[in-house]
Amino acid sequence: MLKEDQREILIVDDDPYTLEMITNILERNGYATKGVQSGKKALETAQEQDPDILLLDINLPDMDGFKTCKKLKSIRETKEIPVIFITGDSSRYNIQKSFEAGGADYVSKPFVIEEVLARITMAIDNARAQKVLENVNKKLESQIAVQTRRLNLLFSITKLATESLSLDKILDKVVVFLDEYVNHFNLVSEIKYRSKTFSNEGEINHKKLVEIGLNIREAEVGKIILYSTHEKTTAINSETEDLLEAVANELNKIIKQKESEAKVKTQWKYYRALKDNSPQGIVTLDQDRKVVDINPAFIKIFGYSLDTLKGKQLDEFILPERLTEERKKIKEQIMKGQNIFKNSVRKTADGEEIHCAIIGAPINIDSQHMDYFLIYRDTTREKKLEIQLMQANKMEAIGQLAAGIAHEINTPTQYVNSNIEFFKESLPELVSVVKGYNELFPCLEDCGQSEEKIEALQRKLDRLDISFLEEEIDAALEDSIDGLNKISKIVDAMRTFSHPGTHQKQDIDINKIIQKTITVTRNEWKYDAVLESDLEDNPDAIPVYQEQISQVLLNLIVNAAHAIKDAESQKNNGKGLIKITSRTKSDFLEIKVSDNGTGIPEDIRNKIFNPFFTTKEVGQGTGQGLSMAYNVVVENHDGNIYFDTKTGEGTTFIVELPKKREL
């Protein structure tokens, strides 16, 4: 009976004496031995007992040691047994043949016991190490094969994401791949995604072993499930579960990608529908500002086809040549990826100029590529309506101011009329005196009649009171001239205010507009307020629509007068105060209209520029004044209008108008 750690050696030698000697030596050193004397017997014993090592003599009666070793190495059960040749012929030829036959080592006769034991130990250790290495290699090969299958499975699933397949078809293929992998473990797979189920067996009635959730943005959208197809398979190993987790991770990525693609496709359809059906003209430009696409509304508005514009600079077709500065500004904004919000004019294919509201914004494709889109809204009709509305508001204001203006004109008219009556009464007597002098001159030659004429003329002069007439006529003329000047000033202000204006901005001294507006509105404020003006001397003329700014100032002054009238406690000798200032700033001219009236209540401050919002009673206001003012200043002049107010103390409206024409 061999001990667990005892090594068995098969000794093959035809010499009984040598066989017995080697057996005794090895057994004394703890080895178990078996001795045979022929090659044939050696092959049989090796197959039966599987010794740890074989000591083989070269010279055997039936077949030599070389043939015996070769035969041994050709048999599957014995090929791994290490062979040490025992030979009395230690020629190089025999040594070479020993190794060629498959020997692990050789020992020359007569041999040294220590050498034999050392070679045996080394051969056994080498054989053991070889077996360990082979086992490790087999295990590694098995693991590599498993890992390769895992990687092939994951690669096949990952590759599906690059193919133009629907998500349903991808999930069908994943089930096929999974089943190919797990079928030899007596398993079958199933994938559930939202309301759908994917499997190769239809409805599965096997025992469920494991399920792994499919999650998109922390929300479960499905599961991967493995079922057992054999009653002995009651669990899966950790490697398979890890693989299932990896498959789930890949599927999560694919589902997220495909759902995103589907969302993008849907959004693209909505975008195309929105673009194609939008009443506004939409243009897409590439990073070189060349036309990529236009929508039907653009074609309708401007009359250009995509074939005409594609790949070309849009401004060359629709931007009027005179707007060179605007061309530069827009180019700069597009190149920098800045947003565009502006009102301007553009020309159609027929050469007609139209008003447009323009919006532009970048489309960031990636860090290296940026497109740009522009939206054009034809506001020509709106502009016409705006002008008509502004003119209507102006005429409404004129109508509201008419009584006051008539009163303002009536006062100087009355004293001009009184002076004319005075002239009418005094003139006949003056004419009579002049006639008397004319009659006197011929009589001077006839001394007999001159004395009588002189006395009659003196009586007329006494009645006329020349010194009184001299003083009063001079005063009456001055009063009349002053009254006529006032009338002329009022009429001029009204003419300027009521003028429909031009379609182009003009460089205007803003102080003149302020002064004329003060004149027109005088009767609105003179009974309730004192109006002070502090206007900058000789300000630069700025580009404005004169009639529009006149309307803005009129609305602000009238509102200030009404606010003071509504304030019960009046100041400054029983009257409120309206103050108007103008100042030139770095890039704009600032106009302030202040009053010490009621102020604006906090709960309506965010509404006062809204169209149709008014605090006045029905019939006393349309709610268009401040809304119109905002539109004129911000939209038409690229300026700003805002206010500073304190309830019960008053309000200051600030208007900022650019000194340069907007591009």
Side-chain angles (χ1 to χ4, degrees), residues 338-548:
Q338 297 174 342
N339 292 336
I340 294 174
F341 300 95
K342 71 180 292 80
N343 292 297
S344 187
V345 293
R346 292 295 183 267
K347 65 178 180 179
T348 66
D350 296 332
E352 178 188 359
E353 289 195 1
I354 60 174
H355 289 273
C356 291
I358 305 169
I359 298 175
I363 308 172
N364 293 310
I365 306 301
D366 52 50
S367 59
Q368 302 297 324
H369 187 80
M370 180 185 71
D371 284 353
Y372 202 91
F373 77 87
L374 289 165
I375 299 176
Y376 294 89
R377 184 167 64 88
D378 185 356
T379 60
T380 304
R381 183 170 179 272
E382 293 178 21
K383 281 292 180 183
K384 291 178 180 178
L385 292 174
E386 180 184 321
I387 293 171
Q388 293 173 5
L389 176 60
M390 195 171 297
Q391 190 65 17
N393 287 336
K394 187 182 296 184
M395 298 312 295
E396 178 188 358
I398 291 173
Q400 293 173 350
L401 297 173
I405 293 171
H407 180 73
E408 290 295 312
I409 294 176
N410 186 55
T411 300
T413 301
Q414 284 180 345
Y415 58 73
V416 169
N417 185 60
S418 298
N419 290 334
I420 291 174
E421 289 293 334
F422 170 70
F423 293 149
K424 184 178 180 180
E425 293 176 1
S426 303
L427 193 57
E429 295 185 14
L430 285 173
V431 171
S432 175
V433 171
V434 172
K435 285 183 177 179
Y437 278 110
N438 287 336
E439 292 174 358
L440 179 61
F441 289 125
C443 295
L444 291 177
E445 297 178 359
D446 185 359
C447 295
Q449 295 183 4
S450 61
E451 184 176 348
E452 182 182 346
K453 294 284 187 182
I454 290 172
E455 289 177 358
L457 185 58
Q458 185 62 52
R459 287 192 297 271
K460 289 182 180 181
L461 288 174
D462 291 341
R463 290 195 305 270
L464 193 58
D465 194 354
I466 291 297
S467 61
F468 170 77
L469 288 177
E470 181 180 7
E471 181 179 342
E472 289 300 317
I473 288 175
D474 185 58
L477 288 172
E478 289 184 3
D479 286 344
S480 297
I481 292 171
D482 181 61
L484 291 173
N485 285 337
K486 288 182 179 180
I487 294 171
S488 176
K489 186 177 180 181
I490 294 171
V491 171
D492 180 59
M494 283 299 298
R495 180 187 59 79
T496 300
F497 180 74
S498 59
H499 192 278
T502 63
H503 297 298
Q504 301 294 331
K505 292 181 182 178
Q506 295 177 322
D507 292 335
I508 302 293
D509 180 352
I510 207 72
N511 286 351
K512 292 182 179 179
I513 298 178
I514 294 173
Q515 290 164 346
K516 290 183 178 181
T517 307
I518 291 172
T519 299
V520 170
T521 60
R522 174 178 170 79
N523 202 66
E524 285 291 314
W525 51 261
K526 72 176 183 178
Y527 298 108
D528 302 300
V530 173
L531 191 148
E532 296 180 358
S533 60
D534 180 13
L535 308 181
E536 182 178 27
D537 294 334
N538 302 317
D540 294 335
I542 62 172
V544 296
Y545 296 107
Q546 177 176 332
E547 74 288 351
Q548 294 183 14

Side-chain angles (χ1 to χ4, degrees), residues 134 240 259 424 457 563 571 606:
E134 287 176 356
T240 303
E259 286 187 348
K424 184 178 180 180
L457 185 58
K571 307 163 187 177
N606 62 339

Side-chain angles (χ1 to χ4, degrees), residues 46-47 50 70-81 138:
Q47 292 181 70
D50 189 23
K70 287 181 180 179
K71 188 68 174 175
L72 194 74
K73 296 298 180 181
S74 68
I75 300 171
R76 183 175 62 84
E77 293 82 5
T78 60
K79 67 179 181 177
E80 301 299 334
I81 300 174
K138 287 180 180 178

